[in-house]
C-alpha cells in the first residue's frame, strides 16, 4: 500500500519532471545566442544569484569548469559590496533568479551593463526587470513549484540547474572537450582513475610468471604458485606467448588423470590467451575481463612480447571497480 510519504515523494518527482520537460519549449534562438556569446567572449563566465539561485549558480560553475569552460561564482549580495571587481573586461555574466525582481538584482544589473559586459539571464519571469534588461534571456518558467504551498523554490531551481547543464554540455561538445580533457580536470578519486590509469601503472606491481613450452608439469606448478596470480604464461624462445595455464586448468587436468608428471607446458596450455596492451586504460582491461568471464589478462607490448599479468584484484585495489 502506498504511504503518504511515498505519495508526497512521487508528487514532487512528477512536478519537477514536468518542469524539466517544459524547458524544451524554451530552447530557441536565445539559447544559440547565449552559447555563441560565451564561446566568442574570450573571457570567463561569471555566474551570480541570490538565495537558492546562488546555490544553483555554484553548481553550474562547477559543471562548466569541469567541462572546459572557465567559470567563477559571485554572490549577488557580495557583488554590490566590492566583489564586482571579480568581473574582467571580456567576461560574460550569467544571472540566475526565479522572479528577476530581487532588490540585489535590480542594483547589480545596471552596474554590470555600465561595465560593458554581456548579461545572460536565466529566470522564471519573462517580463521581469532582469529579463527586460539582460542582453540574452533564457526562460526557466515553471507552472508550479513542487512545494505544496507553491512557495519554496523546488521545481524552479531544478529548471535552472537543467538549463545550466544544457549550456555546459552544448559548450563541451562544440569545443571538442573529450574524455582525455575530462581526465585532466578530474585526476582524483575513482572517476579520475578510470579516465587516466593505464595497465602500465598496475601490472608492474605483480610478478611476471612464465614458463617455456618444454618445461615439465612440476615447473608449471611452481610458476603458478610463485606468481600468486592463478596463472602462468607459456612462451617460446622468442618471448612470444603461445598459451596460458591457469590453476583452473590444473584442477580440470587432475579430474581426467593422475598421470601428469611427464606432461610438458605446451601439452596442457590453452592457445590464444586473452591479452591487453600495456598502454591500454585499466578500465579497458576490466571490460575485457568481464566480457570474457576471466580474472586475469596477459600484458603485452606493441610487438606482442610478453610483459606480465594484470589481475581483477589489481583493479579492485585501485578502485576501478
Amino acid at each position: 500500500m502506498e504511504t503518504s510519504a511515498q505519495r508526497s515523494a512521487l508528487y514532487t518527482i512528477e512536478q519537477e519532471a514536468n518542469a524539466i520537460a517544459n524547458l524544451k519549449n524554451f530552447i530557441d534562438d536565445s539559447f544559440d545566442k547565449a552559447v555563441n556569446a560565451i564561446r566568442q567572449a574570450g573571457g570567463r563566465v561569471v555566474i551570480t544569484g541570490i538565495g537558492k539561485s546562488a546555490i544553483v549558480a555554484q553548481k553550474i560553475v562547477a559543471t562548466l569548469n569541469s567541462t572546459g569552460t572557465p567559470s567563477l561564482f559571485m554572490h549577488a549580495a557580495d557583488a554590490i559590496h566590492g566583489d564586482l571587481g571579480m568581473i574582467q573586461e571580456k567576461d560574460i555574466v550569467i544571472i540566475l533568479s526565479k522572479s528577476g525582481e530581487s532588490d540585489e538584482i535590480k542594483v547589480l544589473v545596471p552596474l554590470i551593463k555600465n561595465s560593458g559586459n554581456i548579461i545572460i539571464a536565466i529566470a522564471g519571469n519573462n517580463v521581469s526587470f532582469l529579463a527586460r534588461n539582460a542582453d540574452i534571456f533564457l526562460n526557466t518558467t515553471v507552472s508550479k513549484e513542487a512545494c505544496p504551498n507553491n512557495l519554496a523554490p523546488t521545481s524552479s531551481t531544478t529548471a535552472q540547474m537543467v538549463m545550466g547543464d544544457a549550456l555546459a554540455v552544448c559548450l563541451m561538445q562544440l569545443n571538442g572537450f573529450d574524455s582525455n580533457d575530462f581526465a585532466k580536470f578530474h585526476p582524483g578519486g575513482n572517476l579520475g582513475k578510470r579516465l587516466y590509469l593505464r595497465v602500465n601503472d598496475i601490472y608492474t606491481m605483480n610478478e611476471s610468471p612464465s614458463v617455456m613450452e618444454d618445461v615439465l608439469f612440476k615447473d608449471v606448478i611452481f610458476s603458478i604458485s610463485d606468481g600468486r596470480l592463478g596463472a602462468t604464461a607459456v612462451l617460446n624462445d622468442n618471448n612470444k606467448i603461445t598459451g596460458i595455464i591457469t590453476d583452473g586448468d590444473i584442477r580440470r587436468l587432475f579430474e581426467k588423470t593422475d598421470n601428469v608428471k611427464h606432461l610438458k607446458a605446451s601439452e596442457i596450455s590453452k592457445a590464444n590467451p586473452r591479452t591487453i596492451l600495456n598502454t591500454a586504460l585499466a578500465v579497458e582491461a576490466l571490460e575485457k575481463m568481464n566480457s570474457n568471464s576471466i580474472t586475469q589478462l596477459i600484458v603485452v607490448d606493441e610487438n606482442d612480447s610478453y610483459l606480465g599479468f594484470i589481475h581483477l584484484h589489481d583493479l579492485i585495489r585501485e578502485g576501478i571497480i
Side-chain angles (χ1 to χ4, degrees), residues 49-122:
I50 197 80
K52 305 295 189 299
S53 294
I55 297 171
V56 176
Q58 292 177 67
K59 188 274 177 186
I60 297 174
V61 165
T63 301
L64 287 170
N65 279 327
S66 69
T67 53
T69 302
S71 308
L72 57 91
F73 170 71
M74 177 183 70
H75 196 282
D78 293 333
I80 58 179
H81 292 283
D83 279 4
L84 270 175
M86 297 167 62
I87 303 175
Q88 298 178 3
E89 181 181 352
K90 295 182 179 181
D91 291 345
I92 295 275
V93 179
I94 298 179
I95 302 177
L96 274 69
S97 175
K98 178 187 176 182
S99 68
E101 297 287 348
S102 301
D103 291 339
E104 294 86 353
I105 300 299
K106 288 183 176 180
V107 174
L108 181 59
V109 168
L111 296 174
I112 296 173
K113 291 182 74 70
N114 288 340
S115 297
N117 297 90
I118 293 174
I119 296 176
I120 299 172
I122 297 180

Side-chain angles (χ1 to χ4, degrees), residues 206-209 224-225 227-231 247 295-296 309 311 314:
N206 294 328
E207 300 293 332
S208 300
I224 294 175
S225 177
R228 292 174 294 181
L229 293 168
D247 50 12
T295 58
Q296 69 272 315
F309 276 85
H311 196 279
D314 301 325

Side-chain angles (χ1 to χ4, degrees), residues 74-182:
M74 177 183 70
H75 196 282
D78 293 333
I80 58 179
H81 292 283
D83 279 4
L84 270 175
M86 297 167 62
I87 303 175
Q88 298 178 3
E89 181 181 352
K90 295 182 179 181
D91 291 345
I92 295 275
V93 179
I94 298 179
I95 302 177
L96 274 69
S97 175
K98 178 187 176 182
S99 68
E101 297 287 348
S102 301
D103 291 339
E104 294 86 353
I105 300 299
K106 288 183 176 180
V107 174
L108 181 59
V109 168
L111 296 174
I112 296 173
K113 291 182 74 70
N114 288 340
S115 297
N117 297 90
I118 293 174
I119 296 176
I120 299 172
I122 297 180
N125 182 354
N126 61 355
V127 295
S128 64
F129 173 86
L130 177 58
R132 287 183 283 108
N133 286 277
D135 298 288
I136 302 167
F137 172 63
L138 300 180
N139 197 344
T140 53
T141 298
V142 299
S143 59
K144 188 178 181 181
E145 297 285 5
C147 166
N149 298 314
N150 196 28
L151 294 173
T154 45
S155 299
S156 58
T157 48
T158 300
Q160 290 175 344
M161 193 171 298
V162 172
M163 186 64 79
D165 285 343
L167 281 172
V169 172
C170 183
L171 289 164
M172 177 181 178
Q173 292 175 330
L174 290 174
N175 293 330
F177 190 91
D178 60 19
S179 59
N180 290 327
D181 297 311
F182 199 83

Side-chain angles (χ1 to χ4, degrees), residues 199-233:
V199 173
N200 255 338
D201 302 316
I202 302 175
Y203 89 90
T204 53
M205 293 184 281
N206 294 328
E207 300 293 332
S208 300
S210 66
V211 294
M212 304 305 290
E213 293 175 300
D214 59 352
V215 305
L216 294 175
F217 180 79
K218 180 179 69 173
D219 295 313
V220 171
I221 295 295
F222 286 152
S223 179
I224 294 175
S225 177
D226 291 343
R228 292 174 294 181
L229 293 168
T232 188

